[in-house]
Amino acid sequence: MAKLVLSLDGEVLGYHFLEKASFGIGRKPENEMQIDDSSVSKEHAVILTVGNDQILEDLGSTNGTLVNGVKIKKHILQNNDVIDIGRYQLRYINQKAKPGVDSDRTIMMMPVMSQRHREEKSESPAQTATLPDTAVSVARVANDIFPLGGIKGLQGPLAGQTLELSRPLATFGKAGVQVAVINRRPHGYSITRVEGKKPPLVNGLAIGEEAQLLQDEDQIEVGGEILRFFLKQTA
Amino acid sequence: MSVRSALEISTITDTGVVRSFNEDTIATEPDLGLALVADGMGGYKAGDVASGMAASIMMMELKRQLRETSPTASRIAEMLEFSVGRANRAIHQAAQASPQHHGMGTTLVAVVFHDNRLHFAHIGDSRLYRLRQGKLQVLTQDHSILHEQVALGLISNDDAKISHNRNLVTRALGVEAQSECEVQALAVEVGDIYLLCSDGLNDMVDDVNIELALNSLQANLPLTVKQLVMMANDNGGHDNVSAILIKVHESFPAIEQSPGLFGRLFGWLK
């Protein structure tokens, strides 16, 4: 179970388990964690537990709520987050709340709506809501290890231009005639034929059906374009 | 044009990088414009049983019913609901009957293309996307705690990336005796591309990059579907990844076996 370790000026004062679905922090005694100090608002912040998430929300406190030094309105707590409430600090300890993907397999649980008792300024769910359209945070780092590459146009519509290849894929050539895709992958860049009767050329040689790794200075001919692939030198 | 020749379908299912076996099941029947993705869950290999049962029962029921002559749109919605109900009951009973299958269940996204329309049902967090005029749009609302958190305004879309609730679905086939299922229908346009996928894809690959792949590579659908899985695995491949791409090349009006409404109207006017 998650816990909060309360400290002031580096001295640990005690800890609290986050047992309730709604855990209030503030000066008033009604709070699950009462901190009787003038730097803390009467109802300073609340931590809501929803599934595996514990969401810290500032309740419009005078001095604000900070997480790892950054002022927040709402924040999904991560293991070892440090929360500033007035002069006090709270460390959030929850081994399960690590950034990234859960190793746990999918499980089913009751919808939030039927679990929750707190009044909600619901902005009519379903119909109008936009889905979280992003992948998990760890899904983004994998491609940042290998040096960035790009192409320089030597002939054709991209002649004289230099393009960085920072996205996972980019296509070149002429739609309906001959197209190749260059993929940015964790271990480097590769080129694959997309369409066209004749295969594109790399250094004058036709590429096969399988993806082919690109090397610095490789020259690509596709759909009437001539491009030079380059890798940026890492500092 | 028959639905088979109007639609181009490419499929893939992959274990991913981290897991040791694949509990996703995919199925298609091009002759009838049918496709589905099921992402199983539950103890040791039970998820595989659940998704496999969902796929085989759904396909069997839908094939049997769709071979009836020229079903109406509302009839297809009923068929989907009925088939989902059957699959749910069968999985639930199997789960009750054996301890090692106890608690197993599966997500489902199933589509029927018929008479220039797309009918779809979904349960859980497997998704249906549509690419139209270069824009990717998700047509299903995940039945998940994460989606509810965002819908209720508890967390922002941006916060969703660091949520720990990705694996919590609020609905699944086979977990309870009764299952709720939403069936929707939309008009199809020539040039549309539909994507059915398990969360192993959209959890690992940003929508913007799914859109990029569909837009750039659609001239080669088998390559597109491979590249989707490649991106998911390059980003970590934490889960099984399944994807079905369906591209609409032509319109596919149903052939009237007996005079339809219009036929009858014209009949009266003569």
PDB file of all heavy atoms in Angstrom, chain A residues 132-152:
ATOM      1  N   PRO A 132      -7.387   9.601 -24.709  1.00  0.00           N
ATOM      2  CA  PRO A 132      -5.961   9.855 -24.543  1.00  0.00           C
ATOM      3  C   PRO A 132      -5.242   9.299 -25.764  1.00  0.00           C
ATOM      4  O   PRO A 132      -5.254   8.102 -25.991  1.00  0.00           O
ATOM      5  CB  PRO A 132      -5.597   9.086 -23.277  1.00  0.00           C
ATOM      6  CG  PRO A 132      -6.708   8.143 -23.046  1.00  0.00           C
ATOM      7  CD  PRO A 132      -7.924   8.707 -23.690  1.00  0.00           C
ATOM      8  N   ASP A 133      -4.685  10.165 -26.543  1.00  0.00           N
ATOM      9  CA  ASP A 133      -4.195   9.706 -27.841  1.00  0.00           C
ATOM     10  C   ASP A 133      -2.694   9.450 -27.824  1.00  0.00           C
ATOM     11  O   ASP A 133      -2.054   9.475 -28.848  1.00  0.00           O
ATOM     12  CB  ASP A 133      -4.553  10.713 -28.925  1.00  0.00           C
ATOM     13  CG  ASP A 133      -3.944  12.060 -28.669  1.00  0.00           C
ATOM     14  OD1 ASP A 133      -3.339  12.248 -27.597  1.00  0.00           O
ATOM     15  OD2 ASP A 133      -4.039  12.939 -29.527  1.00  0.00           O
ATOM     16  N   THR A 134      -2.149   9.216 -26.663  1.00  0.00           N
ATOM     17  CA  THR A 134      -0.712   9.061 -26.599  1.00  0.00           C
ATOM     18  C   THR A 134      -0.328   7.689 -26.089  1.00  0.00           C
ATOM     19  O   THR A 134      -1.025   7.090 -25.292  1.00  0.00           O
ATOM     20  CB  THR A 134      -0.127  10.106 -25.647  1.00  0.00           C
ATOM     21  OG1 THR A 134      -0.974  10.196 -24.517  1.00  0.00           O
ATOM     22  CG2 THR A 134      -0.051  11.455 -26.317  1.00  0.00           C
ATOM     23  N   ALA A 135       0.817   7.259 -26.551  1.00  0.00           N
ATOM     24  CA  ALA A 135       1.381   6.011 -26.063  1.00  0.00           C
ATOM     25  C   ALA A 135       1.973   6.241 -24.674  1.00  0.00           C
ATOM     26  O   ALA A 135       2.073   7.370 -24.219  1.00  0.00           O
ATOM     27  CB  ALA A 135       2.449   5.535 -27.033  1.00  0.00           C
ATOM     28  N   VAL A 136       2.362   5.170 -24.007  1.00  0.00           N
ATOM     29  CA  VAL A 136       2.978   5.308 -22.681  1.00  0.00           C
ATOM     30  C   VAL A 136       4.291   6.073 -22.776  1.00  0.00           C
ATOM     31  O   VAL A 136       4.932   6.088 -23.820  1.00  0.00           O
ATOM     32  CB  VAL A 136       3.232   3.935 -22.016  1.00  0.00           C
ATOM     33  CG1 VAL A 136       1.933   3.296 -21.617  1.00  0.00           C
ATOM     34  CG2 VAL A 136       4.027   3.016 -22.914  1.00  0.00           C
ATOM     35  N   SER A 137       4.685   6.667 -21.660  1.00  0.00           N
ATOM     36  CA  SER A 137       5.859   7.543 -21.694  1.00  0.00           C
ATOM     37  C   SER A 137       7.136   6.804 -22.085  1.00  0.00           C
ATOM     38  O   SER A 137       7.969   7.354 -22.785  1.00  0.00           O
ATOM     39  CB  SER A 137       6.044   8.236 -20.346  1.00  0.00           C
ATOM     40  OG  SER A 137       5.978   7.297 -19.304  1.00  0.00           O
ATOM     41  N   VAL A 138       7.277   5.535 -21.675  1.00  0.00           N
ATOM     42  CA  VAL A 138       8.504   4.809 -22.014  1.00  0.00           C
ATOM     43  C   VAL A 138       8.613   4.493 -23.504  1.00  0.00           C
ATOM     44  O   VAL A 138       9.691   4.211 -23.996  1.00  0.00           O
ATOM     45  CB  VAL A 138       8.642   3.477 -21.253  1.00  0.00           C
ATOM     46  CG1 VAL A 138       8.858   3.725 -19.780  1.00  0.00           C
ATOM     47  CG2 VAL A 138       7.456   2.581 -21.482  1.00  0.00           C
ATOM     48  N   ALA A 139       7.482   4.548 -24.206  1.00  0.00           N
ATOM     49  CA  ALA A 139       7.497   4.181 -25.616  1.00  0.00           C
ATOM     50  C   ALA A 139       8.243   5.202 -26.460  1.00  0.00           C
ATOM     51  O   ALA A 139       8.469   4.986 -27.629  1.00  0.00           O
ATOM     52  CB  ALA A 139       6.076   4.023 -26.138  1.00  0.00           C
ATOM     53  N   ARG A 140       8.592   6.297 -25.872  1.00  0.00           N
ATOM     54  CA  ARG A 140       9.193   7.356 -26.658  1.00  0.00           C
ATOM     55  C   ARG A 140      10.720   7.371 -26.620  1.00  0.00           C
ATOM     56  O   ARG A 140      11.357   7.963 -27.466  1.00  0.00           O
ATOM     57  CB  ARG A 140       8.678   8.699 -26.158  1.00  0.00           C
ATOM     58  CG  ARG A 140       7.971   9.464 -27.223  1.00  0.00           C
ATOM     59  CD  ARG A 140       7.094  10.515 -26.619  1.00  0.00           C
ATOM     60  NE  ARG A 140       5.722  10.162 -26.839  1.00  0.00           N
ATOM     61  CZ  ARG A 140       4.960   9.554 -25.968  1.00  0.00           C
ATOM     62  NH1 ARG A 140       5.414   9.242 -24.790  1.00  0.00           N
ATOM     63  NH2 ARG A 140       3.739   9.257 -26.268  1.00  0.00           N
ATOM     64  N   VAL A 141      11.289   6.741 -25.619  1.00  0.00           N
ATOM     65  CA  VAL A 141      12.723   6.914 -25.414  1.00  0.00           C
ATOM     66  C   VAL A 141      13.578   5.993 -26.271  1.00  0.00           C
ATOM     67  O   VAL A 141      14.713   6.306 -26.575  1.00  0.00           O
ATOM     68  CB  VAL A 141      13.105   6.731 -23.926  1.00  0.00           C
ATOM     69  CG1 VAL A 141      12.415   7.772 -23.090  1.00  0.00           C
ATOM     70  CG2 VAL A 141      12.768   5.339 -23.442  1.00  0.00           C
ATOM     71  N   ALA A 142      12.986   4.860 -26.692  1.00  0.00           N
ATOM     72  CA  ALA A 142      13.777   3.827 -27.359  1.00  0.00           C
ATOM     73  C   ALA A 142      14.548   4.344 -28.566  1.00  0.00           C
ATOM     74  O   ALA A 142      15.669   3.914 -28.824  1.00  0.00           O
ATOM     75  CB  ALA A 142      12.873   2.668 -27.763  1.00  0.00           C
ATOM     76  N   ASN A 143      13.938   5.278 -29.309  1.00  0.00           N
ATOM     77  CA  ASN A 143      14.555   5.698 -30.556  1.00  0.00           C
ATOM     78  C   ASN A 143      15.592   6.798 -30.392  1.00  0.00           C
ATOM     79  O   ASN A 143      16.162   7.261 -31.370  1.00  0.00           O
ATOM     80  CB  ASN A 143      13.477   6.162 -31.535  1.00  0.00           C
ATOM     81  CG  ASN A 143      12.843   4.980 -32.233  1.00  0.00           C
ATOM     82  OD1 ASN A 143      13.552   4.116 -32.730  1.00  0.00           O
ATOM     83  ND2 ASN A 143      11.538   4.922 -32.237  1.00  0.00           N
ATOM     84  N   ASP A 144      15.815   7.241 -29.171  1.00  0.00           N
ATOM     85  CA  ASP A 144      16.696   8.382 -28.996  1.00  0.00           C
ATOM     86  C   ASP A 144      18.150   8.006 -28.759  1.00  0.00           C
ATOM     87  O   ASP A 144      18.981   8.850 -28.476  1.00  0.00           O
ATOM     88  CB  ASP A 144      16.195   9.264 -27.847  1.00  0.00           C
ATOM     89  CG  ASP A 144      14.858   9.900 -28.204  1.00  0.00           C
ATOM     90  OD1 ASP A 144      14.589  10.018 -29.413  1.00  0.00           O
ATOM     91  OD2 ASP A 144      14.114  10.263 -27.284  1.00  0.00           O
ATOM     92  N   ILE A 145      18.460   6.714 -28.880  1.00  0.00           N
ATOM     93  CA  ILE A 145      19.810   6.273 -28.552  1.00  0.00           C
ATOM     94  C   ILE A 145      20.744   6.408 -29.752  1.00  0.00           C
ATOM     95  O   ILE A 145      21.834   6.933 -29.661  1.00  0.00           O
ATOM     96  CB  ILE A 145      19.792   4.802 -28.053  1.00  0.00           C
ATOM     97  CG1 ILE A 145      18.813   4.692 -26.876  1.00  0.00           C
ATOM     98  CG2 ILE A 145      21.179   4.348 -27.641  1.00  0.00           C
ATOM     99  CD1 ILE A 145      18.244   3.308 -26.670  1.00  0.00           C
ATOM    100  N   PHE A 146      20.269   5.957 -30.888  1.00  0.00           N
ATOM    101  CA  PHE A 146      21.084   5.972 -32.097  1.00  0.00           C
ATOM    102  C   PHE A 146      21.198   7.406 -32.625  1.00  0.00           C
ATOM    103  O   PHE A 146      20.264   8.189 -32.493  1.00  0.00           O
ATOM    104  CB  PHE A 146      20.424   5.079 -33.144  1.00  0.00           C
ATOM    105  CG  PHE A 146      21.342   4.658 -34.240  1.00  0.00           C
ATOM    106  CD1 PHE A 146      22.229   3.612 -34.039  1.00  0.00           C
ATOM    107  CD2 PHE A 146      21.325   5.303 -35.461  1.00  0.00           C
ATOM    108  CE1 PHE A 146      23.084   3.215 -35.059  1.00  0.00           C
ATOM    109  CE2 PHE A 146      22.179   4.913 -36.478  1.00  0.00           C
ATOM    110  CZ  PHE A 146      23.060   3.867 -36.278  1.00  0.00           C
ATOM    111  N   PRO A 147      22.356   7.779 -33.234  1.00  0.00           N
ATOM    112  CA  PRO A 147      22.474   9.149 -33.752  1.00  0.00           C
ATOM    113  C   PRO A 147      21.412   9.458 -34.807  1.00  0.00           C
ATOM    114  O   PRO A 147      20.977   8.586 -35.546  1.00  0.00           O
ATOM    115  CB  PRO A 147      23.877   9.182 -34.354  1.00  0.00           C
ATOM    116  CG  PRO A 147      24.362   7.781 -34.393  1.00  0.00           C
ATOM    117  CD  PRO A 147      23.591   7.012 -33.376  1.00  0.00           C
ATOM    118  N   LEU A 148      21.004  10.695 -34.838  1.00  0.00           N
ATOM    119  CA  LEU A 148      19.998  11.152 -35.788  1.00  0.00           C
ATOM    120  C   LEU A 148      20.580  11.148 -37.205  1.00  0.00           C
ATOM    121  O   LEU A 148      21.744  11.465 -37.396  1.00  0.00           O
ATOM    122  CB  LEU A 148      19.559  12.558 -35.386  1.00  0.00           C
ATOM    123  CG  LEU A 148      18.245  13.072 -35.934  1.00  0.00           C
ATOM    124  CD1 LEU A 148      17.089  12.200 -35.451  1.00  0.00           C
ATOM    125  CD2 LEU A 148      18.022  14.509 -35.497  1.00  0.00           C
ATOM    126  N   GLY A 149      19.739  10.788 -38.159  1.00  0.00           N
ATOM    127  CA  GLY A 149      20.174  10.808 -39.547  1.00  0.00           C
ATOM    128  C   GLY A 149      19.312  11.737 -40.376  1.00  0.00           C
ATOM    129  O   GLY A 149      18.363  12.342 -39.871  1.00  0.00           O
ATOM    130  N   GLY A 150      19.640  11.829 -41.647  1.00  0.00           N
ATOM    131  CA  GLY A 150      18.858  12.668 -42.533  1.00  0.00           C
ATOM    132  C   GLY A 150      19.214  12.402 -43.970  1.00  0.00           C
ATOM    133  O   GLY A 150      20.030  11.533 -44.271  1.00  0.00           O
ATOM    134  N   ILE A 151      18.571  13.150 -44.861  1.00  0.00           N
ATOM    135  CA  ILE A 151      18.917  13.013 -46.272  1.00  0.00           C
ATOM    136  C   ILE A 151      19.155  14.396 -46.870  1.00  0.00           C
ATOM    137  O   ILE A 151      18.606  15.394 -46.422  1.00  0.00           O
ATOM    138  CB  ILE A 151      17.819  12.265 -47.080  1.00  0.00           C
ATOM    139  CG1 ILE A 151      16.454  12.933 -46.918  1.00  0.00           C
ATOM    140  CG2 ILE A 151      17.747  10.793 -46.716  1.00  0.00           C
ATOM    141  CD1 ILE A 151      16.084  13.776 -48.067  1.00  0.00           C
ATOM    142  N   LYS A 152      19.993  14.392 -47.887  1.00  0.00           N
ATOM    143  CA  LYS A 152      20.270  15.599 -48.654  1.00  0.00           C
ATOM    144  C   LYS A 152      19.806  15.319 -50.080  1.00  0.00           C
ATOM    145  O   LYS A 152      20.153  14.288 -50.652  1.00  0.00           O
ATOM    146  CB  LYS A 152      21.777  15.856 -48.655  1.00  0.00           C
ATOM    147  CG  LYS A 152      22.165  17.299 -48.411  1.00  0.00           C
ATOM    148  CD  LYS A 152      23.665  17.444 -48.396  1.00  0.00           C
ATOM    149  CE  LYS A 152      24.018  18.632 -49.261  1.00  0.00           C
ATOM    150  NZ  LYS A 152      24.455  19.796 -48.591  1.00  0.00           N
TER     151      LYS A 152
END
